[in-house]
Amino acid sequence: MTDFKTIRYEVLPEGVGRITLARPEVRNAQNKRMTYELNDAFNLAAHEPAVKVIVLAADGPDFSSGHDLRDPESVSDFHPVGTWSGFDLPGGEGIMGLEHEIFLDMCWRWRNIPKPVIAQAQGRTIAGGLMLLWVCDLIIAADDASFADPVVGFGVNGVEYFGHPWELGPRKAKELLFTGDYIPAEQALQLGMVNRVVPAAELSAETLKLAAHIATKPTFGLKLAKESVNQAQDAQGMWSALKAAFSLHELGHTHNRAVYDSWVDPAGLGTNYKKVR
C-alpha cells in the first residue's frame, strides 16, 4: 500500500500525516492510479494512531490541473471501493458507473474522514483539482493561487463533486461556472472558500504550523466538531444536491456521446480532443 507512484505519504512527528500529489510534470493531473493511491493514503492516515491531522499537499508550481483526460488505465485495473460496477459497459451506463466510483463516491468518502484534513494550494487548481480541495476541512492558499472550473465549456454542468454552491455561494458559483474564469486567492478568502492566504514561500511551513496546533486538541473533540459541521451541511441536503448535480453531469456526457462521440464537447478541449471508446 505504500509503494506509491503518483503520491507520497509520510507521518511527521507533530502528529501530522502528509499526502503529496507527485505528478508535477503534468501539473498533478489526476489519473485513476492517483485516485486509488490517494484513497489508500487517506486510509493509512485515518487508521494511524500517530496521525491526528492530515495535510494534502502537491509538488510543483500548481496544485492540480484536474482530471487526466489521457489516462490509458481502466478502473478494472484497481480494486473498486464502492458498489458501482460495469465500468466498461457501452453508452451512459459505463461512464456513470466509472465516474460514480472514482469521483463522487471517492470524494464523499474523503469528505467524511473523521480527522481534520487541511489542503495547501499553490498556483492553479483547475476543475477536478477543486474536488480534492473541497473535500478538505480547511484550505490554506499561497498568494499566487487561483481556482477555476471551466468544464461548462466541455458541455457539462461542472465537476462531478458539485460543491460549488456551498463553497462560493450561489451567485459566485454561477459566475465561476458560466465564465470559466479564475478566482484569485484573495477573492477566494473573501468568499470563504479558503481559510488563509500566505506567501507562497511560506505555504508548507504555515500549513504544518496550523496542523500541529490542531493536533494538540483531543482527537474525540476534533471528530465531534467535524461531524457537527458536516451534519449541518447534510441537514441542508448537500448529499442529495450532489447526487442530483452528478446525474445532470452524466446527462451532459450522454448528450456529448450522441452528438460528438466524446464524453465532452470537443470545443472545450481544443487540441486535446480525442474520441473515447
Side-chain angles (χ1 to χ4, degrees):
M1 280 180 77
T2 57
D3 185 23
F4 297 128
K5 295 180 174 60
T6 65
I7 67 167
R8 292 193 309 280
Y9 173 69
E10 55 192 323
V11 177
L12 305 177
E14 298 88 349
V16 178
R18 183 164 58 191
I19 302 167
T20 304
L21 310 181
R23 299 187 77 206
E25 70 281 0
V26 290
R27 298 297 194 264
N28 296 311
Q30 304 152 38
N31 56 11
K32 298 177 190 70
R33 182 170 299 277
M34 177 181 279
T35 298
Y36 283 98
E37 289 188 348
L38 274 172
N39 190 67
D40 287 344
F42 276 129
N43 280 342
L44 286 171
H47 291 283
E48 172 55 62
V51 172
K52 300 180 70 176
V53 179
I54 303 168
V55 168
L56 180 63
D59 286 341
D62 297 309
F63 179 77
S64 177
S65 58
H67 302 327
D68 186 348
L69 300 178
R70 297 178 180 274
D71 182 9
E73 292 188 288
S74 167
V75 176
S76 302
D77 297 328
F78 304 95
H79 187 273
V81 173
T83 55
W84 282 76
S85 60
F87 307 122
D88 296 321
L89 292 172
E93 185 175 3
I95 298 170
M96 187 173 187
L98 183 152
E99 295 202 331
H100 217 295
E101 160 75 10
I102 63 174
F103 298 140
L104 183 62
D105 288 350
M106 285 286 200
C107 285
W108 191 248
R109 190 171 193 270
W110 301 338
R111 179 256 193 185
N112 291 306
I113 293 170
K115 291 182 179 182
V117 183
I118 307 175
Q120 61 178 64
Q122 75 279 9
R124 292 168 295 180
T125 301
I126 305 170
L130 292 172
M131 294 163 48
L132 298 186
L133 292 183
W134 288 349
V135 301
C136 298
D137 303 298
L138 307 178
I139 302 172
I140 311 302
D143 53 10
D144 67 350
S146 59
F147 312 92
D149 185 2
V151 301
V152 168
F154 298 170
V156 291
N157 55 324
V159 292
E160 296 83 355
Y161 183 83
F162 199 84
H164 310 64
W166 281 270
E167 297 292 339
L168 302 167
R171 286 192 171 81
K172 271 296 180 181
K174 290 175 184 177
E175 181 181 341
L176 178 81
L177 292 164
F178 295 169
T179 65
D181 292 342
Y182 283 91
I183 292 177
E186 284 295 340
Q187 187 177 30
L189 177 65
Q190 294 167 7
L191 293 168
M193 196 197 97
V194 306
N195 297 84
R196 301 179 185 181
V197 176
V198 301
E202 302 172 16
L203 178 62
S204 180
E206 288 296 319
T207 303
L208 285 177
K209 180 180 177 181
L210 177 61
H213 175 60
I214 293 173
T216 64
K217 309 298 182 183
T219 57
F220 196 39
L222 293 171
K223 290 176 184 176
L224 295 178
K226 178 168 181 172
E227 280 288 288
S228 296
V229 176
N230 281 4
Q231 287 172 5
Q233 290 182 307
D234 296 344
Q236 294 169 355
M238 184 176 183
W239 177 235
S240 295
L242 286 173
K243 289 192 292 183
F246 177 80
S247 297
L248 293 175
H249 182 98
E250 297 308 309
L251 173 62
H253 281 329
T254 300
H255 171 78
N256 290 329
R257 284 278 298 194
V259 177
Y260 306 112
D261 193 24
S262 170
W263 291 11
V264 300
D265 185 333
L269 284 177
T271 58
N272 288 327
Y273 169 59
K274 65 174 182 176
K275 291 183 179 181
V276 292
R277 295 219 186 101

